[in-house]
Amino acid sequence: MKLPTLSLVLSSLLLASSAAPTDPEPRDTSPEALGLAKRSVSCKIINVSKYANCRAGPGTNYEVRYRAPVGTSYNFVCYKKGECYQGNCTWDKIIIDSGYVCYINGYFTDSKCSMAALGQC
């Protein structure tokens, strides 16, 4: 008597487990919805009398690609760690209108360009 009942229970479980799960709505998995959108922070050039050198990489041994005048704001997209200058070892990345990517040491950007605000490249 117990055997047919057990068989019936197992059949019911197998049928229930093979039913397709239903999602009420598809989730948005775009980079923006997941919080992965590119950041851009507007920061001013400071701590220099005329301009800050924007270099091809995060150090003074890289070529100068652009000279950013003091007081000018730029949209920085991220930072990289590199050569330290005046105790600051982060280099903030910008893309200049001419299409060049270059880095300015964080010593020369205002406090809006924090590591938390920019995120690492």
Coordinates of all heavy atoms in Angstrom, one line a residue, residues 64-107:
V64 N 54.8 64.8 -22.6 CA 53.7 65.7 -22.4 C 52.8 65.8 -23.7 O 53.4 66.1 -24.7 CB 54.3 67.2 -22.1 CG1 53.1 68.2 -22.0 CG2 55.1 67.1 -20.8
R65 N 51.5 65.6 -23.5 CA 50.6 65.6 -24.7 C 49.8 66.9 -24.7 O 49.3 67.2 -25.8 CB 49.7 64.4 -24.6 CG 50.4 63.1 -24.9 CD 49.4 62.0 -25.2 NE 50.0 60.9 -25.7 CZ 49.4 59.7 -25.9 NH1 48.2 59.5 -25.4 NH2 50.1 58.7 -26.4
Y66 N 49.7 67.5 -23.6 CA 48.8 68.7 -23.5 C 49.2 69.5 -22.3 O 49.7 68.9 -21.3 CB 47.4 68.2 -23.4 CG 46.3 69.3 -23.3 CD1 46.0 70.0 -24.5 CD2 45.7 69.7 -22.1 CE1 45.0 71.0 -24.4 CE2 44.8 70.7 -22.1 CZ 44.4 71.4 -23.2 OH 43.5 72.4 -23.2
R67 N 49.0 70.8 -22.3 CA 49.2 71.7 -21.2 C 47.9 72.2 -20.8 O 47.2 73.0 -21.5 CB 50.2 72.8 -21.5 CG 51.6 72.3 -21.6 CD 52.6 73.4 -22.0 NE 54.0 73.1 -21.8 CZ 54.7 72.2 -22.4 NH1 54.2 71.4 -23.3 NH2 56.0 72.0 -22.2
A68 N 47.5 71.9 -19.5 CA 46.1 72.3 -19.0 C 46.3 73.6 -18.2 O 46.9 73.6 -17.1 CB 45.5 71.2 -18.2
P69 N 45.7 74.7 -18.7 CA 45.9 76.0 -17.9 C 45.2 75.9 -16.6 O 44.2 75.3 -16.4 CB 45.2 77.0 -18.8 CG 45.0 76.3 -20.2 CD 45.0 74.9 -19.9
V70 N 45.8 76.6 -15.6 CA 45.3 76.7 -14.2 C 43.9 77.3 -14.3 O 43.6 78.2 -15.1 CB 46.3 77.5 -13.3 CG1 46.3 79.0 -13.7 CG2 45.8 77.4 -11.9
G71 N 43.0 76.8 -13.4 CA 41.7 77.3 -13.4 C 40.7 76.8 -14.4 O 39.5 76.9 -14.3
T72 N 41.2 76.0 -15.3 CA 40.3 75.4 -16.4 C 39.7 74.1 -15.8 O 40.4 73.4 -15.2 CB 41.1 75.1 -17.7 OG1 41.8 76.4 -18.1 CG2 40.3 74.6 -18.8
S73 N 38.5 73.9 -16.2 CA 37.8 72.6 -15.8 C 37.9 71.6 -16.9 O 37.7 72.0 -18.1 CB 36.4 72.9 -15.4 OG 36.3 73.6 -14.2
Y74 N 38.1 70.4 -16.5 CA 38.1 69.2 -17.5 C 37.2 68.1 -16.9 O 37.1 68.0 -15.7 CB 39.5 68.7 -17.7 CG 40.4 69.8 -18.4 CD1 41.2 70.6 -17.7 CD2 40.4 69.8 -19.8 CE1 42.0 71.6 -18.3 CE2 41.2 70.8 -20.4 CZ 42.0 71.6 -19.7 OH 42.8 72.6 -20.3
N75 N 36.7 67.3 -17.8 CA 36.0 66.1 -17.4 C 37.0 64.9 -17.3 O 37.4 64.4 -18.3 CB 34.9 65.7 -18.4 CG 33.7 66.7 -18.3 OD1 33.4 67.2 -17.2 ND2 33.1 67.1 -19.5
F76 N 37.2 64.5 -16.1 CA 38.1 63.4 -15.8 C 37.3 62.1 -15.7 O 36.2 62.2 -15.2 CB 38.9 63.7 -14.5 CG 39.9 64.8 -14.6 CD1 39.5 66.1 -14.4 CD2 41.2 64.5 -14.9 CE1 40.4 67.1 -14.6 CE2 42.2 65.5 -15.0 CZ 41.8 66.8 -14.9
V77 N 37.8 61.0 -16.2 CA 37.0 59.8 -16.3 C 37.5 58.7 -15.3 O 36.6 57.8 -15.0 CB 37.0 59.2 -17.8 CG1 36.3 60.2 -18.7 CG2 38.4 58.9 -18.3
C78 N 38.7 58.7 -14.9 CA 39.2 57.7 -13.9 C 40.6 58.1 -13.5 O 41.1 59.1 -13.9 CB 39.2 56.3 -14.5 SG 40.2 56.1 -16.0
Y79 N 41.2 57.3 -12.6 CA 42.5 57.5 -12.2 C 43.4 56.3 -12.3 O 42.8 55.1 -12.3 CB 42.6 58.1 -10.8 CG 42.4 57.0 -9.7 CD1 43.5 56.3 -9.2 CD2 41.1 56.7 -9.2 CE1 43.3 55.3 -8.2 CE2 40.9 55.7 -8.3 CZ 42.0 55.1 -7.8 OH 41.8 54.1 -6.8
K80 N 44.7 56.4 -12.4 CA 45.6 55.3 -12.3 C 46.7 55.7 -11.2 O 47.0 56.9 -11.0 CB 46.4 55.2 -13.6 CG 45.6 54.4 -14.7 CD 46.5 54.0 -15.8 CE 45.8 53.2 -16.8 NZ 46.7 52.8 -17.9
K81 N 47.2 54.7 -10.6 CA 48.3 54.9 -9.7 C 49.6 54.9 -10.5 O 49.8 54.2 -11.4 CB 48.3 53.8 -8.6 CG 47.2 53.9 -7.7 CD 47.3 52.9 -6.6 CE 46.1 53.0 -5.6 NZ 46.2 52.1 -4.5
G82 N 50.5 55.8 -10.0 CA 51.7 56.0 -10.7 C 52.8 56.7 -9.9 O 52.7 56.6 -8.6
E83 N 53.7 57.4 -10.5 CA 54.7 58.1 -9.8 C 54.1 59.1 -8.9 O 53.2 59.8 -9.2 CB 55.6 58.8 -10.9 CG 56.7 59.6 -10.3 CD 57.5 60.4 -11.4 OE1 57.3 60.1 -12.6 OE2 58.3 61.2 -11.0
C84 N 54.7 59.2 -7.7 CA 54.2 60.1 -6.7 C 54.8 61.5 -6.9 O 56.0 61.6 -7.3 CB 54.5 59.6 -5.3 SG 53.8 58.0 -4.9
Y85 N 54.0 62.5 -6.7 CA 54.4 63.9 -6.8 C 53.8 64.7 -5.7 O 52.6 64.6 -5.5 CB 54.1 64.5 -8.2 CG 54.5 66.0 -8.3 CD1 55.8 66.3 -8.5 CD2 53.6 67.0 -8.0 CE1 56.2 67.6 -8.6 CE2 54.0 68.3 -8.1 CZ 55.3 68.6 -8.4 OH 55.7 70.0 -8.4
Q86 N 54.6 65.3 -4.9 CA 54.1 66.1 -3.7 C 53.2 65.2 -2.8 O 52.1 65.7 -2.3 CB 53.3 67.3 -4.1 CG 54.2 68.4 -4.9 CD 55.2 69.0 -3.9 OE1 54.9 69.3 -2.8 NE2 56.4 69.3 -4.4
G87 N 53.5 63.9 -2.7 CA 52.8 63.0 -1.9 C 51.5 62.4 -2.5 O 50.8 61.7 -1.9
N88 N 51.2 62.8 -3.8 CA 50.1 62.3 -4.5 C 50.5 61.3 -5.5 O 51.3 61.7 -6.4 CB 49.3 63.5 -5.1 CG 47.9 63.0 -5.6 OD1 47.8 62.0 -6.2 ND2 46.9 63.8 -5.2
C89 N 50.0 60.1 -5.5 CA 50.4 59.0 -6.4 C 49.4 58.6 -7.4 O 49.5 57.6 -8.1 CB 50.8 57.8 -5.6 SG 52.1 58.1 -4.4
T90 N 48.3 59.4 -7.5 CA 47.2 59.1 -8.5 C 47.4 60.1 -9.6 O 47.7 61.3 -9.5 CB 45.8 59.2 -7.8 OG1 45.6 60.6 -7.3 CG2 45.6 58.2 -6.7
W91 N 47.0 59.6 -10.8 CA 47.0 60.4 -12.0 C 45.6 60.3 -12.6 O 45.1 59.2 -12.9 CB 48.1 59.9 -13.0 CG 49.5 60.1 -12.5 CD1 50.1 59.5 -11.4 CD2 50.4 61.1 -13.0 NE1 51.4 60.1 -11.2 CE2 51.6 61.1 -12.2 CE3 50.3 62.1 -14.0 CZ2 52.7 61.9 -12.4 CZ3 51.4 62.9 -14.2 CH2 52.6 62.8 -13.4
D92 N 45.0 61.5 -12.8 CA 43.7 61.6 -13.3 C 43.6 61.6 -14.8 O 44.4 62.4 -15.4 CB 43.0 62.8 -12.7 CG 43.0 62.8 -11.2 OD1 43.1 61.7 -10.6 OD2 43.0 63.8 -10.5
K93 N 42.8 60.8 -15.4 CA 42.7 60.6 -16.9 C 41.7 61.5 -17.5 O 40.6 61.6 -17.0 CB 42.4 59.2 -17.2 CG 42.3 58.9 -18.7 CD 41.9 57.4 -18.9 CE 41.7 57.1 -20.3 NZ 41.3 55.7 -20.5
I94 N 42.1 62.2 -18.6 CA 41.2 63.0 -19.4 C 41.3 62.6 -20.9 O 42.4 62.1 -21.3 CB 41.3 64.5 -19.2 CG1 42.7 65.0 -19.5 CG2 40.9 64.9 -17.8 CD1 42.9 66.5 -19.4
I95 N 40.3 62.9 -21.6 CA 40.4 62.8 -23.1 C 40.2 64.2 -23.6 O 39.2 64.8 -23.5 CB 39.3 61.8 -23.6 CG1 39.5 60.5 -22.9 CG2 39.4 61.7 -25.1 CD1 38.3 59.5 -23.1
I96 N 41.3 64.7 -24.2 CA 41.3 66.1 -24.7 C 40.5 66.1 -26.0 O 40.4 65.1 -26.7 CB 42.8 66.5 -25.0 CG1 43.6 66.5 -23.7 CG2 42.8 67.9 -25.5 CD1 43.0 67.3 -22.5
D97 N 39.9 67.2 -26.4 CA 39.1 67.4 -27.6 C 39.8 66.8 -28.8 O 39.1 66.3 -29.7 CB 38.8 68.9 -27.8 CG 37.8 69.4 -26.7 OD1 37.1 68.6 -26.1 OD2 37.8 70.6 -26.5
S98 N 41.1 66.9 -28.9 CA 41.8 66.4 -30.1 C 41.8 64.9 -30.1 O 42.4 64.3 -31.1 CB 43.2 67.0 -30.1 OG 43.9 66.7 -29.0
G99 N 41.3 64.2 -29.1 CA 41.3 62.8 -29.1 C 42.4 62.1 -28.2 O 42.4 60.9 -28.1
Y100 N 43.3 63.0 -27.8 CA 44.4 62.4 -26.9 C 43.9 62.0 -25.6 O 43.1 62.7 -25.0 CB 45.5 63.5 -26.7 CG 46.4 63.6 -27.9 CD1 46.6 64.9 -28.5 CD2 47.1 62.6 -28.5 CE1 47.4 65.1 -29.6 CE2 48.0 62.8 -29.5 CZ 48.1 64.0 -30.1 OH 49.0 64.2 -31.2
V101 N 44.4 60.9 -25.1 CA 44.2 60.5 -23.7 C 45.5 60.9 -22.9 O 46.6 60.7 -23.4 CB 44.0 59.0 -23.6 CG1 44.1 58.5 -22.1 CG2 42.7 58.6 -24.2
C102 N 45.3 61.6 -21.8 CA 46.4 61.9 -21.0 C 46.1 62.0 -19.5 O 44.9 61.9 -19.2 CB 47.1 63.2 -21.5 SG 46.0 64.7 -21.4
Y103 N 47.1 62.1 -18.7 CA 47.0 62.0 -17.3 C 47.7 63.2 -16.6 O 48.7 63.6 -17.0 CB 47.7 60.7 -16.7 CG 47.1 59.5 -17.3 CD1 47.5 59.0 -18.5 CD2 46.1 58.8 -16.6 CE1 46.9 57.8 -19.1 CE2 45.5 57.6 -17.1 CZ 45.9 57.2 -18.3 OH 45.4 56.0 -18.9
I104 N 47.0 63.7 -15.6 CA 47.5 64.8 -14.8 C 47.5 64.3 -13.3 O 46.6 63.7 -12.8 CB 46.6 66.1 -14.9 CG1 46.5 66.6 -16.3 CG2 47.0 67.2 -13.9 CD1 45.6 67.8 -16.5
N105 N 48.7 64.6 -12.7 CA 48.8 64.2 -11.3 C 47.7 64.8 -10.4 O 47.4 66.0 -10.6 CB 50.2 64.5 -10.8 CG 50.4 64.0 -9.4 OD1 50.0 64.6 -8.4 ND2 51.0 62.8 -9.3
G106 N 47.2 64.0 -9.5 CA 46.1 64.5 -8.7 C 46.4 65.7 -7.8 O 45.5 66.4 -7.3
Y107 N 47.7 66.0 -7.6 CA 48.1 67.2 -6.9 C 47.6 68.4 -7.6 O 47.3 69.4 -7.0 CB 49.6 67.2 -6.8 CG 50.1 68.4 -6.1 CD1 50.1 68.6 -4.8 CD2 50.7 69.5 -6.9 CE1 50.6 69.7 -4.1 CE2 51.2 70.6 -6.3 CZ 51.1 70.7 -4.9 OH 51.6 71.9 -4.3

